[in-house]
Amino acid sequence: MRDPDGLIARAGVRGDPNRDQHFLVDDRVLDRLPTYLTEIDADTSHLLEIGGGTGALTDRLLAIGDEVTVVERDRELAAFLREEFADEIDAGELTVIEGDALEVELPEFTASVSNLPYGVSSEIAFRLFPEKKPLVLMFQQEFAERMVAESDTSEYGRLSVSSQHYADIELVESIPKEAFSPPPAVQSAVIRAVPREPDYAVENEEFFLRFVKALFTQRRKTIRNGIRNTAHISGLEEPEAVVDAAEDDVLQKRAGAMAPADFAALAQLAWDVGEPDDR
């Protein structure tokens, strides 16, 4: 495997915290990341990496994948990847896409392993989740803990419900600051998301996620008041109709006590009787 410090030296770059650039340089972590796919026998025929940097993780993904596509928004780094991995590109094993991962057209892929830019990690994750492919993604520790949190815990929130709607999510490893160059201000963590269908049904997924978002903006209010106070977010034309139709024990809860299935049932009721503006 290519030495991460050697890659940085050959690229002639330094990580820039102001541009959300923290290069992962710990060989042990880099070597472990692909194993979180292989140990679940994930399909590695076409791997997607968001934020290739200088290619330390790219190199390791090439060792387990038939084909790798890396998306890198930094022009200089994208040019370096094309130079450093010229042989792999010529062999059809690697494709480098220069651009913003939130804007470029992503290829068909079978799984993704990525050290995400933390400033846009949430947006990228929720672009990847609907693809329903296994994901190994690195986030800030606090963000990862919120993704895997269960109801009735302080970390549980909109992110927990939305993430777990798409996949079984596990926090598989915490990463110290010293594993990066330059070290970020916070500790990091790796999650593995294995796609599955939820154990509940929602008629309109977009409304369900928007409804969850709305109620968590009022997480200290009861669900009754949350429904009434957030119609401008959820898009309900008739929030009182939802309050009238819902069970009283549900209306007395707060968002943090509602499991994803509870949100789904309430969202379906709101969809049926609350006249959402996109129905």
PDB file of all heavy atoms in Angstrom, residues 47-71:
ATOM      1  N   LEU A  47     -16.697   0.448  -6.226  1.00  0.00           N
ATOM      2  CA  LEU A  47     -16.671   1.215  -4.989  1.00  0.00           C
ATOM      3  C   LEU A  47     -16.637   2.709  -5.295  1.00  0.00           C
ATOM      4  O   LEU A  47     -15.966   3.150  -6.222  1.00  0.00           O
ATOM      5  CB  LEU A  47     -15.449   0.831  -4.147  1.00  0.00           C
ATOM      6  CG  LEU A  47     -15.395  -0.631  -3.713  1.00  0.00           C
ATOM      7  CD1 LEU A  47     -14.113  -0.899  -2.931  1.00  0.00           C
ATOM      8  CD2 LEU A  47     -16.617  -0.991  -2.867  1.00  0.00           C
ATOM      9  N   LEU A  48     -17.345   3.474  -4.485  1.00  0.00           N
ATOM     10  CA  LEU A  48     -17.379   4.931  -4.607  1.00  0.00           C
ATOM     11  C   LEU A  48     -16.690   5.544  -3.399  1.00  0.00           C
ATOM     12  O   LEU A  48     -16.982   5.179  -2.258  1.00  0.00           O
ATOM     13  CB  LEU A  48     -18.827   5.422  -4.686  1.00  0.00           C
ATOM     14  CG  LEU A  48     -19.043   6.938  -4.663  1.00  0.00           C
ATOM     15  CD1 LEU A  48     -18.493   7.588  -5.923  1.00  0.00           C
ATOM     16  CD2 LEU A  48     -20.527   7.268  -4.485  1.00  0.00           C
ATOM     17  N   GLU A  49     -15.775   6.481  -3.656  1.00  0.00           N
ATOM     18  CA  GLU A  49     -15.132   7.229  -2.588  1.00  0.00           C
ATOM     19  C   GLU A  49     -15.410   8.711  -2.795  1.00  0.00           C
ATOM     20  O   GLU A  49     -15.139   9.254  -3.861  1.00  0.00           O
ATOM     21  CB  GLU A  49     -13.618   6.985  -2.570  1.00  0.00           C
ATOM     22  CG  GLU A  49     -12.916   7.750  -1.448  1.00  0.00           C
ATOM     23  CD  GLU A  49     -11.398   7.686  -1.520  1.00  0.00           C
ATOM     24  OE1 GLU A  49     -10.861   7.121  -2.502  1.00  0.00           O
ATOM     25  OE2 GLU A  49     -10.744   8.232  -0.611  1.00  0.00           O
ATOM     26  N   ILE A  50     -15.939   9.355  -1.766  1.00  0.00           N
ATOM     27  CA  ILE A  50     -16.177  10.800  -1.799  1.00  0.00           C
ATOM     28  C   ILE A  50     -15.028  11.485  -1.060  1.00  0.00           C
ATOM     29  O   ILE A  50     -14.776  11.199   0.108  1.00  0.00           O
ATOM     30  CB  ILE A  50     -17.504  11.169  -1.125  1.00  0.00           C
ATOM     31  CG1 ILE A  50     -18.684  10.420  -1.769  1.00  0.00           C
ATOM     32  CG2 ILE A  50     -17.724  12.673  -1.177  1.00  0.00           C
ATOM     33  CD1 ILE A  50     -18.935  10.768  -3.202  1.00  0.00           C
ATOM     34  N   GLY A  51     -14.357  12.398  -1.738  1.00  0.00           N
ATOM     35  CA  GLY A  51     -13.245  13.112  -1.115  1.00  0.00           C
ATOM     36  C   GLY A  51     -11.968  12.296  -1.123  1.00  0.00           C
ATOM     37  O   GLY A  51     -11.499  11.843  -0.077  1.00  0.00           O
ATOM     38  N   GLY A  52     -11.370  12.120  -2.289  1.00  0.00           N
ATOM     39  CA  GLY A  52     -10.209  11.242  -2.422  1.00  0.00           C
ATOM     40  C   GLY A  52      -8.939  11.785  -1.813  1.00  0.00           C
ATOM     41  O   GLY A  52      -8.038  11.011  -1.469  1.00  0.00           O
ATOM     42  N   GLY A  53      -8.828  13.091  -1.685  1.00  0.00           N
ATOM     43  CA  GLY A  53      -7.607  13.669  -1.117  1.00  0.00           C
ATOM     44  C   GLY A  53      -6.382  13.312  -1.930  1.00  0.00           C
ATOM     45  O   GLY A  53      -6.353  13.476  -3.150  1.00  0.00           O
ATOM     46  N   THR A  54      -5.382  12.777  -1.256  1.00  0.00           N
ATOM     47  CA  THR A  54      -4.149  12.377  -1.947  1.00  0.00           C
ATOM     48  C   THR A  54      -4.126  10.898  -2.292  1.00  0.00           C
ATOM     49  O   THR A  54      -3.117  10.407  -2.795  1.00  0.00           O
ATOM     50  CB  THR A  54      -2.918  12.729  -1.095  1.00  0.00           C
ATOM     51  OG1 THR A  54      -3.027  12.094   0.183  1.00  0.00           O
ATOM     52  CG2 THR A  54      -2.799  14.232  -0.912  1.00  0.00           C
ATOM     53  N   GLY A  55      -5.210  10.178  -2.001  1.00  0.00           N
ATOM     54  CA  GLY A  55      -5.339   8.822  -2.510  1.00  0.00           C
ATOM     55  C   GLY A  55      -4.944   7.694  -1.582  1.00  0.00           C
ATOM     56  O   GLY A  55      -4.878   6.537  -2.017  1.00  0.00           O
ATOM     57  N   ALA A  56      -4.715   7.965  -0.296  1.00  0.00           N
ATOM     58  CA  ALA A  56      -4.328   6.885   0.610  1.00  0.00           C
ATOM     59  C   ALA A  56      -5.431   5.843   0.750  1.00  0.00           C
ATOM     60  O   ALA A  56      -5.172   4.627   0.706  1.00  0.00           O
ATOM     61  CB  ALA A  56      -3.958   7.456   1.977  1.00  0.00           C
ATOM     62  N   LEU A  57      -6.670   6.298   0.900  1.00  0.00           N
ATOM     63  CA  LEU A  57      -7.787   5.353   0.982  1.00  0.00           C
ATOM     64  C   LEU A  57      -8.114   4.791  -0.394  1.00  0.00           C
ATOM     65  O   LEU A  57      -8.434   3.601  -0.527  1.00  0.00           O
ATOM     66  CB  LEU A  57      -9.016   6.044   1.578  1.00  0.00           C
ATOM     67  CG  LEU A  57     -10.279   5.198   1.722  1.00  0.00           C
ATOM     68  CD1 LEU A  57     -10.015   3.945   2.540  1.00  0.00           C
ATOM     69  CD2 LEU A  57     -11.414   6.025   2.352  1.00  0.00           C
ATOM     70  N   THR A  58      -7.997   5.600  -1.425  1.00  0.00           N
ATOM     71  CA  THR A  58      -8.225   5.138  -2.795  1.00  0.00           C
ATOM     72  C   THR A  58      -7.373   3.916  -3.092  1.00  0.00           C
ATOM     73  O   THR A  58      -7.839   2.925  -3.669  1.00  0.00           O
ATOM     74  CB  THR A  58      -7.873   6.259  -3.799  1.00  0.00           C
ATOM     75  OG1 THR A  58      -8.531   7.463  -3.424  1.00  0.00           O
ATOM     76  CG2 THR A  58      -8.268   5.873  -5.202  1.00  0.00           C
ATOM     77  N   ASP A  59      -6.107   3.968  -2.688  1.00  0.00           N
ATOM     78  CA  ASP A  59      -5.166   2.875  -2.909  1.00  0.00           C
ATOM     79  C   ASP A  59      -5.657   1.584  -2.273  1.00  0.00           C
ATOM     80  O   ASP A  59      -5.590   0.504  -2.870  1.00  0.00           O
ATOM     81  CB  ASP A  59      -3.814   3.278  -2.318  1.00  0.00           C
ATOM     82  CG  ASP A  59      -2.690   2.345  -2.734  1.00  0.00           C
ATOM     83  OD1 ASP A  59      -2.678   1.922  -3.906  1.00  0.00           O
ATOM     84  OD2 ASP A  59      -1.827   2.063  -1.891  1.00  0.00           O
ATOM     85  N   ARG A  60      -6.187   1.685  -1.086  1.00  0.00           N
ATOM     86  CA  ARG A  60      -6.660   0.500  -0.375  1.00  0.00           C
ATOM     87  C   ARG A  60      -7.975  -0.014  -0.946  1.00  0.00           C
ATOM     88  O   ARG A  60      -8.227  -1.228  -0.928  1.00  0.00           O
ATOM     89  CB  ARG A  60      -6.783   0.819   1.116  1.00  0.00           C
ATOM     90  CG  ARG A  60      -5.402   0.838   1.798  1.00  0.00           C
ATOM     91  CD  ARG A  60      -5.265   1.894   2.844  1.00  0.00           C
ATOM     92  NE  ARG A  60      -3.964   1.816   3.509  1.00  0.00           N
ATOM     93  CZ  ARG A  60      -2.858   2.452   3.083  1.00  0.00           C
ATOM     94  NH1 ARG A  60      -2.895   3.219   1.996  1.00  0.00           N
ATOM     95  NH2 ARG A  60      -1.721   2.326   3.737  1.00  0.00           N
ATOM     96  N   LEU A  61      -8.792   0.881  -1.464  1.00  0.00           N
ATOM     97  CA  LEU A  61     -10.031   0.431  -2.095  1.00  0.00           C
ATOM     98  C   LEU A  61      -9.748  -0.297  -3.405  1.00  0.00           C
ATOM     99  O   LEU A  61     -10.448  -1.256  -3.766  1.00  0.00           O
ATOM    100  CB  LEU A  61     -10.965   1.619  -2.333  1.00  0.00           C
ATOM    101  CG  LEU A  61     -11.460   2.336  -1.069  1.00  0.00           C
ATOM    102  CD1 LEU A  61     -12.408   3.467  -1.440  1.00  0.00           C
ATOM    103  CD2 LEU A  61     -12.127   1.364  -0.116  1.00  0.00           C
ATOM    104  N   LEU A  62      -8.718   0.147  -4.115  1.00  0.00           N
ATOM    105  CA  LEU A  62      -8.334  -0.545  -5.346  1.00  0.00           C
ATOM    106  C   LEU A  62      -7.906  -1.979  -5.079  1.00  0.00           C
ATOM    107  O   LEU A  62      -8.029  -2.855  -5.948  1.00  0.00           O
ATOM    108  CB  LEU A  62      -7.202   0.212  -6.041  1.00  0.00           C
ATOM    109  CG  LEU A  62      -7.620   1.503  -6.764  1.00  0.00           C
ATOM    110  CD1 LEU A  62      -6.403   2.361  -7.066  1.00  0.00           C
ATOM    111  CD2 LEU A  62      -8.376   1.168  -8.045  1.00  0.00           C
ATOM    112  N   ALA A  63      -7.428  -2.244  -3.865  1.00  0.00           N
ATOM    113  CA  ALA A  63      -6.969  -3.588  -3.519  1.00  0.00           C
ATOM    114  C   ALA A  63      -8.118  -4.561  -3.310  1.00  0.00           C
ATOM    115  O   ALA A  63      -7.935  -5.778  -3.436  1.00  0.00           O
ATOM    116  CB  ALA A  63      -6.101  -3.541  -2.257  1.00  0.00           C
ATOM    117  N   ILE A  64      -9.338  -4.046  -3.009  1.00  0.00           N
ATOM    118  CA  ILE A  64     -10.463  -4.954  -2.768  1.00  0.00           C
ATOM    119  C   ILE A  64     -11.560  -4.812  -3.809  1.00  0.00           C
ATOM    120  O   ILE A  64     -12.439  -5.678  -3.891  1.00  0.00           O
ATOM    121  CB  ILE A  64     -11.070  -4.742  -1.367  1.00  0.00           C
ATOM    122  CG1 ILE A  64     -11.769  -3.378  -1.276  1.00  0.00           C
ATOM    123  CG2 ILE A  64     -10.029  -4.917  -0.277  1.00  0.00           C
ATOM    124  CD1 ILE A  64     -12.745  -3.268  -0.117  1.00  0.00           C
ATOM    125  N   GLY A  65     -11.533  -3.743  -4.601  1.00  0.00           N
ATOM    126  CA  GLY A  65     -12.605  -3.512  -5.561  1.00  0.00           C
ATOM    127  C   GLY A  65     -12.172  -3.779  -6.992  1.00  0.00           C
ATOM    128  O   GLY A  65     -11.010  -3.561  -7.354  1.00  0.00           O
ATOM    129  N   ASP A  66     -13.099  -4.241  -7.816  1.00  0.00           N
ATOM    130  CA  ASP A  66     -12.801  -4.418  -9.239  1.00  0.00           C
ATOM    131  C   ASP A  66     -12.665  -3.055  -9.922  1.00  0.00           C
ATOM    132  O   ASP A  66     -11.857  -2.879 -10.830  1.00  0.00           O
ATOM    133  CB  ASP A  66     -13.922  -5.213  -9.913  1.00  0.00           C
ATOM    134  CG  ASP A  66     -14.086  -6.593  -9.306  1.00  0.00           C
ATOM    135  OD1 ASP A  66     -13.071  -7.178  -8.862  1.00  0.00           O
ATOM    136  OD2 ASP A  66     -15.230  -7.076  -9.247  1.00  0.00           O
ATOM    137  N   GLU A  67     -13.479  -2.102  -9.456  1.00  0.00           N
ATOM    138  CA  GLU A  67     -13.470  -0.758 -10.027  1.00  0.00           C
ATOM    139  C   GLU A  67     -13.747   0.236  -8.911  1.00  0.00           C
ATOM    140  O   GLU A  67     -14.551  -0.029  -8.015  1.00  0.00           O
ATOM    141  CB  GLU A  67     -14.541  -0.646 -11.117  1.00  0.00           C
ATOM    142  CG  GLU A  67     -14.587   0.695 -11.827  1.00  0.00           C
ATOM    143  CD  GLU A  67     -15.680   0.749 -12.881  1.00  0.00           C
ATOM    144  OE1 GLU A  67     -16.368  -0.269 -13.095  1.00  0.00           O
ATOM    145  OE2 GLU A  67     -15.854   1.839 -13.476  1.00  0.00           O
ATOM    146  N   VAL A  68     -13.085   1.380  -8.965  1.00  0.00           N
ATOM    147  CA  VAL A  68     -13.256   2.431  -7.969  1.00  0.00           C
ATOM    148  C   VAL A  68     -13.511   3.750  -8.694  1.00  0.00           C
ATOM    149  O   VAL A  68     -12.842   4.054  -9.688  1.00  0.00           O
ATOM    150  CB  VAL A  68     -12.012   2.572  -7.059  1.00  0.00           C
ATOM    151  CG1 VAL A  68     -12.180   3.760  -6.100  1.00  0.00           C
ATOM    152  CG2 VAL A  68     -11.757   1.281  -6.286  1.00  0.00           C
ATOM    153  N   THR A  69     -14.486   4.498  -8.216  1.00  0.00           N
ATOM    154  CA  THR A  69     -14.696   5.870  -8.680  1.00  0.00           C
ATOM    155  C   THR A  69     -14.491   6.788  -7.494  1.00  0.00           C
ATOM    156  O   THR A  69     -15.083   6.577  -6.428  1.00  0.00           O
ATOM    157  CB  THR A  69     -16.111   6.072  -9.244  1.00  0.00           C
ATOM    158  OG1 THR A  69     -16.274   5.279 -10.423  1.00  0.00           O
ATOM    159  CG2 THR A  69     -16.343   7.542  -9.607  1.00  0.00           C
ATOM    160  N   VAL A  70     -13.646   7.792  -7.668  1.00  0.00           N
ATOM    161  CA  VAL A  70     -13.385   8.758  -6.604  1.00  0.00           C
ATOM    162  C   VAL A  70     -13.838  10.129  -7.065  1.00  0.00           C
ATOM    163  O   VAL A  70     -13.591  10.529  -8.205  1.00  0.00           O
ATOM    164  CB  VAL A  70     -11.895   8.756  -6.191  1.00  0.00           C
ATOM    165  CG1 VAL A  70     -10.995   9.067  -7.367  1.00  0.00           C
ATOM    166  CG2 VAL A  70     -11.638   9.740  -5.062  1.00  0.00           C
ATOM    167  N   VAL A  71     -14.534  10.833  -6.170  1.00  0.00           N
ATOM    168  CA  VAL A  71     -14.987  12.199  -6.446  1.00  0.00           C
ATOM    169  C   VAL A  71     -14.151  13.149  -5.594  1.00  0.00           C
ATOM    170  O   VAL A  71     -14.092  12.997  -4.371  1.00  0.00           O
ATOM    171  CB  VAL A  71     -16.487  12.379  -6.112  1.00  0.00           C
ATOM    172  CG1 VAL A  71     -16.920  13.816  -6.389  1.00  0.00           C
ATOM    173  CG2 VAL A  71     -17.336  11.401  -6.914  1.00  0.00           C
TER     174      VAL A  71
END
